[in-house]
Every structure is written in C-alpha cells, then in structure tokens.
Amino acid sequence: MAMSKQRRREALWFYLFVSPWVIGFLAFLLGPMISSIYLSMTDWDSFTPPKWVGLDNYVKLLTEDPVFWKALGNTLHYAAISVPLGLLVGLWLANLLNKQVRARKLFRTLIYLPTLVPLVAASMAFRVVLAPSGPLNDALGWAGISGPQWLLDPSWVKYALILLSVWSAGSATVLLLAAMKGIPRELYEAAEIDGAGPVRQFWSITVPQLTPVIFFNLVMGLIAAFQVFSQVYILTPKASQPGTYNASQTTVPYLFDQAFSYYHMGYASAISWLLFAVILVFTLLAFRTTRRWVFYETEVK
Amino acid sequence: MTLDRAQFSRRGFLGLGVAAGVITLTACGSGAGSDDDPLVMTVWGGETDRATYQKRIDLLVKKYPDLKVKLQLIPSDSYPQKVQTMIAGGKGPDIMQVAENVNVYSSKNQLMPLDDLAKGAGLDLSKRFGPIGSLYSYEDKVYAIPDRSGAMIVYYNKTLFDSKGIKAPTAEWTWDDALDAFKELTAKGKTWGYGGAGWWPQWWSFAYQNGGAIIDADGRPTADSDEVVEALQWAGDLVFKHGVVPTKAQYADMGTDVGGDQAFANGTVAVNATGFWAIAGLTDTKFEWDIAPMWRGEKQAVASFGSGLAISRTAKNPKNAFKAIDFLTSPEAQQQIIATGQDVPANLEVQQSDAFLKPAWMKTPVNMGVFAESSEFLFKAPFIPEWNEMLAAIDTATADFWLGKERSAKTALTALQKNLESIIKSAG
C-alpha cells in the first residue's frame, strides 16, 4: 500500500515536471503541425480563406515545379558533402586535441570558438573572405592556384556553402573529444602490448569506440543540412546575387520564398511536409545501417 | 534504440513545424481593440524615417486632437512578412505604407478602396499628385494615396566631367551621347563611366524609352518584344562589350554589398542612376557632383520610386484613417519629408516649393528641380499582384546575362517571357 502511494506521488511529480513540455508541444508544435497538414492541401494566400485543393500542391511540386527539384537536388548535394566532411574534420581535430601537446587547452578553445560566432555574423564575414580577390583567393594565389569566384559562379557557390559548414565543425569536435577521453586506457595498453602502432590503435580502438557519437553527429548533421537556411540566405542574397541565388537555392529558403514572398502558404506547407518525408527517409536509412558499424558496449555485455 | 528513433524523428518535426508555428504565434500577438484605441500605422525604414513620420503625426495630432496615431516602424527587410502575419492574425494595421507590392494586398481584398473616401473629403488626387495620383490602383479603384514619390535621377561626378571637358548630362542626351561620355570617363581598372543598369528600374527605363513594356496595358507579359530586347542588350553591352560599367566580380572586389550608389560616392563610377536617397551618402565627397534628369531613347521615360498610404480592411475607423492620410499628404505635413532629408514628397505643391528646391541641410547647390522636371515623363510600372514572383522570375532569367555568361538579351528575355506567362494567370 505504501509503495503504491509513493508510486502515485512519483507519477504526479512526473506529470508536473513534464507538463511544461507537453503543453508547449500540444500548443506550439502539434497544433501548427496538424494545421499545416490541412493547409498543405489548400490554396491559401494567408489573407483570404483557404481553398481546398486536395493533393494538387503535392502533385504540382512533384511533377511540374523544376525549382523544387533543383532546390531538393542542391540540398542533397550540400548534405552529401558537408555532413561527411564535417565528421571527418571533427574527427581529425578531436584526435589532434587528444594528443598531449602544449597549450592544448588554448587550441581547444580556438577550435570551438567559431561555433560560438552567430551563423549570421560568420556568413557576413565569409562574404568578404570569399570575394573574387578576397583573402581566400589571395592565399590560393600564393600557392599558384587562381581561385574561383566563389559566390558569383553558380558552379562554385555550393562549395562556398560547404566551406562555411565546416567552419562550425567545432561542436562535433567537442563531442568526439569528450568521447575519446572516455575510452578506457586499458584498451590502448593492451593494444600496445600486442604490438599495435598509433594508426592501428586509432582505427581498431578509437574509431569503433566513437561510433555511437559519430552516429549521433551523423544524424544531427543530416537534419541540420537538410534544413540549411541562414547561410544560403545571407551568403547569396537574392537581390544582389540572383544568379548564384538560384544555383544555391535549397529547400527551406525556397519554402520561405513561397510562403512569405509569393504568398503561397499552402504550397509552402506542402514543401515542408515533403522535406519532412525526405529527412525521415534518410534518418531511417541511417538507423538501418547502425547494426553494421555502430558499436554499443552495452550490447556486448 | 527505439527511444532514440522517436527522438530523432521528433527533431525533424520540430524544425518543420516552424513555418506554421510563426503564424500561430503571431496570431496571439496583440490584444483586443476598442474605438478609443489609436490608429496603428505601419511604415518601414530606419531612424530618419521614424523621426520624419513621427513629426508628421505630431502635426496631425496638433490639428486634430481627437485623432490618436501609433507609429510602428518595421525594418524594411521584414516589413512584408510582419504585415502579412499581422493581417493573417486579424490585427492588421489601420494605415499601412505600401509600394510596388500594393496589389498583393488589394487583389486579395485586404485594402479598402479609397475613391469614395477621397470624394467625401474633397480630395482631388490628380490635382495634388499629378499623373501619379492613381498610381496605386487595381481594377480601376484607388487603393493607396501617394505619399513619397521621386523619379530615378542621374548623379554625375562634376569634377570628372569637367576634367574631361564633358558637358553635364541632360534629358536630351541620347543613348549614343551617354555611351560616348561613359567611354571618355572610363579609365581601365580604375574608374568606370557608369554604375550599370542591372536593377529593374534602371533597365526598364531603357525598355520604356525604347517603346517597350514588360507587361502591356492588358496585363499580358511582353518581355521578349524587340523593343525590350534591344534595350536590355544595350544595357548589357555597356558592361561586357564596352567595359564602361563594372562587372559583378569587379563590384564584389570593391567590398561587401558595394553597388552603384557606393561606387559613385567613392568616385569609382562617374555616373549613377538611382533614387533621392543617395544624396544622404554624398555630403562628404572629395569631388563635386550634381544631379540631372534621365537621358532619353526613342522617347523620354524614367522609373519612379515611392510609396503610398493605404487603409486596411481591418481598420476600425476608416473615416478617421482617411482623415489622417489626407492631412499627412497635405503640404503642411509633406514639407517634413524634405526638411529632414528623408525623401521626395509626393505632393506637387511641395516639390515646387522653395523648401524642396533649396533644403536647409544641403551643403552644396544641387539641382533639385530635376525631380519636378522628371515627373513629366515617369512611366507607370505594372504593379501586378504577382509583383514579387515577377521580380524573382526576372532575376532568374537575367542572372546569366548580367554575369556575362549569356550574351544574348533575346535568349534571356525569351526564357523570362515563358516564366511570366506561367506566373501571371490573368494573362490572355
């Protein structure tokens, strides 16, 4: 009897503590989500009452809208390069920081610093860095490479965005570094006794031990890459760089234009649900592969 | 594992709900209104704009103590979105500033037609504002009263013109005269004759000078007509054939967001066509400058910039709102627009007054009569409800052209015409 009373109290506390989230979720997420499903099946300019059009928006998006496909293609292109690249850079930096070098606390701070710079500010700075005769191209010039017009040339602008995405590899680095520090020393000692060199140790101990964190970064990175917005919006402003704006148009900026520039709120809602489906598919795919490469210690025991 | 999965998909939802969330959030934004509430007036701009509008409102309240007006200044970038969400939430402004996108609202039944209110107040629009009195009309009804309105004008570097022995530009310059002057004024890699015509008011002016139009009088797109093609080709050739206008890459090297306005102020380009606002950036130049009316083609035509004041459907007291607009566009209130150096007042009487022709804050003599002179040949740009989409289509279709990747204006405009035909549903 006493037990059950305590349980009830515990349950009460649980609901009390979880309620801000539940209320927030219902009011600000579930409500808008349900209404956006409805809106995605209407023709709505946000002023006059929505007109029901069934699946017309989806059909139009998938069959008649070249810009949507272009934007989706750009988004995939961006995600396909920036996510693995961000992970590799993060892994590399974390590994360097894990070494017993002098002033590594300073390096750690320096590497994480870019992540603290607001994305908008970083994007503004990158517009100067990536100017046709800007610092980056000057540096390339010293190496004898004539740099491209990063932000003006439609075929290079995606790589400029990818470059900017690596700028914030610091957050992945910090997570990976923390995980590296958590790897038991005995594993390395045992490996050393078995005669494994540093490279072998890295691939056979460090990486497998890190896979859960790598996986976490992969999934979060995928979602963030699919929803990329601010960088595109600031690096290639529609007004002054229309040419590259189209070349770098990704899904969320396109959604924003449709909703807030062209007043096609229903159509924009449909885009958001299609994007949701795409992200869901890729996330599920990533989960599907975990059995093959992600190593959880608890599963061994 | 299963827990993780749920969490990750929820993340996906989280970001995606945002667009819809914005609407819901703003809907709960403001409280209920009553008759005693002040009229809410939304405008865009910066601090000069705020000060100028507020001064005019102060004059209004002094004259009509029963009227209360609350000014709401919104940064230009987010103005349309903010007003859109205010209206969608049922709390639209009473008086709102509108410009080229006026018919986004009027076509969706969000603005009040003002003809009857104007008649009731005894306001003759063509007398007060000239031909632009009916600029903000849709299907033969007026939806906004002109408030600020100035022609695009030609800024020229007097020092450079004098040193080359070139006479000041006039309204009678032909395209050839202009090109000859630009060539003279260009010093390779150092200065350029002209700032360029990549922005729509700039190259559209040439199209209309050439007898063309982007959208014809019946609302059909005519962007690929010979007249428009020839005009755009001329504007593009200035960059890539004659080299008298900086390319995009050359502009990008001058600094972030440097365009014709800044390059003119730096003395890098000798001629620049833009609006009144550039005067503010030219008070401390190392060279002498002045303004002139736009040159001509087959005929005279030039774009105008401006904005009007409209009354939204949700206005609690349209009569009071109109009374306010009537006063705000009267000579007394409009004088403030030039007194603070904000813009060109739309009221013709003020444009011709000494207060406008010799503003107290102007350090050097500037030929302000150019605005009145230009007002005779302003072309009326097609303010269609699909205005934003039209501009986006133009940007897309002409992007490669302005980069020099596609040298034929015909090709660019043929693509544009096709896009416009699919965007403008009312066509045909």
Side-chain angles (χ1 to χ4, degrees):
Chain A
M1 224 21 222
M3 267 308 275
S4 120
K5 197 174 174 190
Q6 188 177 348
R7 264 218 190 124
R8 260 215 313 269
R9 272 176 62 123
E10 219 171 80
L12 198 72
W13 280 111
F14 166 77
Y15 287 115
L16 193 69
F17 279 120
V18 85
S19 60
W21 187 87
V22 170
I23 292 166
F25 175 76
L26 292 177
F28 297 120
L29 274 174
L30 197 64
M33 273 168 53
I34 292 169
S35 73
S36 92
I37 293 183
Y38 163 70
L39 289 173
S40 75
M41 298 187 197
T42 63
D43 178 7
W44 188 43
D45 58 26
S46 82
F47 298 117
T48 48
K51 264 188 301 237
W52 179 262
V53 294
L55 292 174
D56 278 9
N57 285 333
Y58 292 94
V59 173
K60 193 176 163 209
L61 269 169
L62 294 172
T63 59
E64 286 172 46
D65 188 344
V67 185
F68 173 72
W69 284 106
K70 176 111 198 263
L72 194 62
N74 285 341
T75 313
L76 286 172
H77 187 158
Y78 171 79
I81 301 180
S82 75
V83 175
L85 190 66
L87 280 176
L88 280 178
V89 172
L91 196 58
W92 179 61
L93 289 175
N95 198 39
L96 285 183
L97 290 174
N98 201 24
K99 298 271 180 279
Q100 302 295 323
V101 287
R102 214 180 292 168
R104 66 178 193 285
K105 274 193 181 151
L106 178 73
F107 285 123
R108 210 153 59 199
T109 314
L110 286 179
I111 283 171
Y112 193 63
L113 214 54
T115 313
L116 297 177
V117 176
L119 210 49
V120 174
S123 307
M124 302 284 265
F126 260 70
R127 285 179 61 187
V128 181
V129 173
L130 295 171
S133 301
L136 179 67
N137 279 357
D138 280 352
L140 286 174
W142 295 329
I145 305 165
S146 85
Q149 299 183 0
W150 294 97
L151 299 176
L152 295 175
D153 189 335
S155 50
W156 277 99
V157 66
K158 276 193 278 286
Y159 299 99
L161 286 169
I162 289 166
L163 214 59
L164 178 56
S165 77
V166 178
W167 169 258
S168 45
S171 57
T173 310
V174 166
L175 287 173
L176 288 163
L177 184 62
M180 273 183 193
K181 298 254 183 237
I183 301 174
R185 278 244 54 90
E186 322 68 282
L187 294 176
Y188 292 101
E189 283 159 10
E192 231 163 277
I193 292 166
D194 287 348
V199 177
R200 182 66 201 268
Q201 284 181 21
F202 177 75
W203 288 112
S204 299
I205 299 173
T206 313
V207 173
Q209 290 281 332
L210 287 181
T211 46
V213 179
I214 294 177
F215 177 65
F216 172 78
N217 278 319
L218 171 73
V219 173
M220 300 310 278
L222 266 180
I223 293 170
F226 277 112
Q227 297 181 356
V228 62
F229 178 78
S230 330
Q231 297 96 306
V232 183
Y233 212 68
I234 292 165
L235 224 45
T236 58
K238 188 162 46 167
S240 62
Q241 272 147 252
T244 42
Y245 182 76
N246 276 314
S248 64
Q249 175 82 293
T250 53
T251 319
V252 180
Y254 182 54
L255 183 163
F256 181 84
D257 277 351
Q258 285 290 352
F260 295 103
S261 234
Y262 310 155
Y263 304 95
H264 298 158
M265 203 56 86
Y267 198 64
S269 301
I271 296 176
S272 79
W273 281 100
L274 282 179
L275 179 64
F276 169 73
V278 171
I279 294 179
L280 191 67
V281 165
F282 276 89
T283 311
L284 288 179
L285 275 178
F287 273 102
R288 263 289 166 79
T289 63
T290 51
R291 216 165 267 286
R292 259 178 266 154
W293 63 278
V294 179
F295 171 78
Y296 288 104
E297 218 165 339
T298 47
E299 285 172 2
V300 179
K301 279 174 188 168
Chain B
M1 267 305 287
T2 43
L3 197 95
D4 278 353
R5 181 176 301 181
Q7 209 162 24
F8 285 130
S9 2
R10 208 161 55 220
R11 270 278 168 167
F13 268 100
L14 209 133
L16 291 159
V18 165
V22 168
I23 299 159
T24 322
L25 277 172
T26 41
C28 333
S30 39
S34 76
D35 275 358
D36 267 356
D37 280 349
L39 298 165
V40 173
M41 175 168 165
T42 52
V43 297
W44 64 78
E47 280 315 307
T48 315
D49 301 290
R50 181 198 301 278
T52 312
Y53 281 112
Q54 192 57 54
K55 269 189 188 157
R56 294 164 66 196
I57 289 170
D58 291 347
L59 287 173
L60 168 77
V61 177
K62 215 164 126 194
K63 177 139 186 200
Y64 301 109
D66 55 318
L67 284 184
K68 273 187 256 146
V69 180
K70 194 176 140 219
L71 183 69
Q72 206 173 336
L73 182 101
I74 300 166
S76 316
D77 288 354
S78 52
Y79 184 83
Q81 289 89 300
K82 174 84 192 193
V83 170
Q84 178 187 9
T85 41
M86 281 170 85
I87 295 176
K91 297 278 170 230
D94 299 279
I95 301 172
M96 61 189 269
Q97 188 186 4
V98 293
E100 289 88 357
N101 62 351
V102 55
N103 294 321
V104 166
Y105 306 105
S106 66
S107 67
K108 296 175 180 60
N109 199 23
Q110 295 308 305
L111 298 179
M112 234 168 243
L114 303 178
D115 306 77
D116 290 343
L117 284 164
K119 210 179 279 166
L123 172 60
D124 184 343
L125 292 175
S126 61
K127 200 169 148 225
R128 187 177 277 188
F129 306 106
I132 66 145
S134 58
L135 185 65
Y136 303 107
S137 302
Y138 183 68
E139 292 177 345
D140 298 326
K141 286 198 191 104
V142 170
Y143 283 95
I145 307 297
D147 184 43
R148 295 156 53 179
S149 167
M152 184 170 75
I153 47 171
V154 174
Y155 291 75
Y156 66 99
N157 186 324
K158 224 169 152 182
T159 308
L160 208 60
F161 267 67
D162 289 346
S163 76
K164 300 271 178 194
I166 305 169
K167 282 206 195 95
T170 69
E172 289 308 318
W173 262 21
T174 61
W175 289 5
D176 287 339
D177 293 334
L179 178 58
D180 287 343
F182 298 158
K183 281 182 177 163
E184 277 286 305
L185 293 158
T186 301
K188 209 167 185 249
K190 237 179 88 206
T191 54
W192 285 265
Y194 177 41
W199 191 26
W200 66 265
Q202 296 164 332
W203 69 268
W204 283 19
S205 293
F206 304 148
Y208 281 85
Q209 285 176 3
N210 211 24
I214 308 303
I215 308 283
D216 72 7
D218 300 326
R220 272 187 293 261
T222 49
D224 61 348
S225 70
D226 291 345
E227 293 84 3
V228 181
V229 169
E230 197 185 2
L232 182 66
Q233 191 67 56
W234 186 72
D237 284 350
L238 293 176
V239 190
F240 300 106
K241 191 171 161 194
H242 305 296
V244 296
V245 168
T247 62
K248 292 244 176 200
Q250 284 159 341
Y251 266 129
D253 275 343
M254 295 178 202
T256 311
D257 284 331
V258 172
D261 294 12
Q262 295 90 330
F264 180 82
N266 296 338
T268 321
V269 303
V271 176
N272 186 43
T274 187
F276 169 89
W277 57 82
I279 288 180
L282 293 172
T283 44
D284 293 318
T285 51
K286 291 191 195 77
F287 54 87
E288 279 184 67
W289 56 274
D290 203 348
I291 56 176
M294 190 60 179
W295 55 82
R296 60 175 299 160
E298 293 289 310
K299 52 183 182 181
Q300 287 186 304
V302 70
S304 63
F305 305 106
S307 63
L309 297 175
I311 300 177
S312 98
R313 275 277 174 205
T314 54
K316 283 147 286 191
N317 192 335
K319 258 208 153 125
N320 274 350
F322 193 82
K323 198 161 136 191
I325 292 178
D326 189 7
F327 178 81
L328 291 171
T329 56
S330 70
E332 189 187 348
Q334 290 252 304
Q335 242 176 45
Q336 296 301 323
I337 299 177
I338 189 64
T340 59
Q342 180 202 17
D343 203 350
V344 183
N347 190 306
L348 284 184
E349 196 185 319
V350 183
Q351 269 191 33
Q352 286 150 5
S353 71
D354 267 1
F356 180 78
L357 295 174
K358 292 189 190 72
W361 46 267
M362 194 86 86
K363 290 183 193 161
T364 51
V366 170
N367 182 12
M368 295 293 280
V370 165
F371 288 99
E373 191 184 342
S374 304
S375 71
E376 283 158 32
F377 51 88
L378 299 177
F379 71 83
K380 261 193 195 175
F383 295 166
I384 54 173
E386 301 89 356
W387 176 263
N388 292 340
E389 273 168 281
M390 174 169 75
L391 286 195
I394 289 173
D395 285 344
T396 307
T398 57
D400 279 349
F401 180 77
W402 292 118
L403 282 172
K405 293 194 162 188
E406 169 57 65
R407 295 287 291 275
S408 155
K410 176 94 195 160
T411 312
L413 290 172
T414 308
L416 174 61
Q417 176 72 12
K418 213 179 129 222
N419 273 342
L420 289 182
E421 278 167 6
S422 76
I423 289 168
I424 301 168
K425 284 142 207 129
S426 53

